[in-house]
Amino acid sequence: MLLIAGLGNPGPQYARNRHNVGFMAADAIARRHSFSGFSKKFRGEIAEGTLGDQKVLLLKPMTFMNLSGDSVGDALRFYKLSPADLIVIHDELDLAPGKLKLKTGGGNGGHNGLKSLDAHCGKDYKRLRIGIGHPGHKDRVSPYVLGDFAKADAEWLEPLLDAIAAHAELMAKGDDAGFMNKIALATGAAEPKPAKPEKAAAADGGKPAPAGKSHIRQARNSAQPKILPTSGPMADMLKRLFGDKKS
């Protein structure tokens, strides 16, 4: 069994906060994989389902962010799970918006939810960090994380949450590299289409060069001597005008 905990704060006033992106990811996984409805347990909301052949519990602690470890710790102890059976999804200030990092262990980076988890569960659990960017100064961090995502953020946030949910099975079975690769493919920007080359103007400012011919080739063609007729009416006329040059 695997426990996936998405971190956030309870209540509709926090629902779209940057700090609640862990809740958003948990909800996206539950919808995509037809988990049971969330019910109240372990001082949180929990849903049951499967990812591949792995039984999974999704947990959203309702203890507020700073006490997330109380809820997650209760669930781990009840099911006799270890930190190796835990994946935590949370916001990350030190990653650019929309960037992900998936690793086991590490520091808490000042994240109060992780501080609480470390105290109750140890540090050897897997973390899926979702970048939200940094406001630029530590004094602005609290209002920033407790502020809602901007409307423009939907352009990267919704595809990212969809991709996390779509490929959560890889994360659940421990294929971290495969999971991150799928996310990158799903959310990466499309390669820009090469611009159509403009028709080049002739060197003398006249008509554009015909498609498929360079100026150099045209110049070479124009430099070739013109072959004059040697017989027929035109040849006779030229001989009368210029005389016979052969003599």
Side-chain angles (χ1 to χ4, degrees), residues 8 11 31 37 45 47 49 51 76 86-87 89 91 94 99 101 115 144 178-179 193 197 204-205 215 231-233 236:
R31 287 193 302 269
E45 293 184 355
L51 293 174
L76 285 179
L86 173 64
I87 299 174
I89 307 176
D91 58 303
D94 293 330
K99 298 297 183 182
K101 189 172 183 179
K115 288 180 182 178
Y144 178 75
F179 172 77
K193 294 181 180 179
D204 61 359
H215 289 310
S231 62
D236 294 339

Side-chain angles (χ1 to χ4, degrees), residues 231-242:
S231 62
M234 180 63 72
D236 294 339
M237 182 183 72
L238 290 173
K239 287 178 181 179
R240 287 196 297 272
L241 288 173
F242 302 106

Side-chain angles (χ1 to χ4, degrees), residues 239 242-247:
K239 287 178 181 179
F242 302 106
D244 190 351
K245 299 296 184 182
K246 292 181 180 179
S247 57

Side-chain angles (χ1 to χ4, degrees), residues 134-147:
H134 197 286
H137 193 279
K138 63 180 182 179
D139 292 342
R140 296 200 293 270
V141 165
S142 183
Y144 178 75
V145 298
L146 294 177

Side-chain angles (χ1 to χ4, degrees), residues 184-205:
L185 291 173
T187 61
E191 291 294 326
K193 294 181 180 179
K196 292 181 178 179
E198 294 182 2
K199 292 182 178 179
D204 61 359

Side-chain angles (χ1 to χ4, degrees), residues 1-2 33 49-56 168-170 172-174:
M1 180 184 291
L2 185 68
H33 298 279
T50 58
L51 293 174
D53 57 1
Q54 180 85 278
K55 183 176 181 181
V56 175
E169 181 182 339
L170 293 172
K173 72 178 184 180

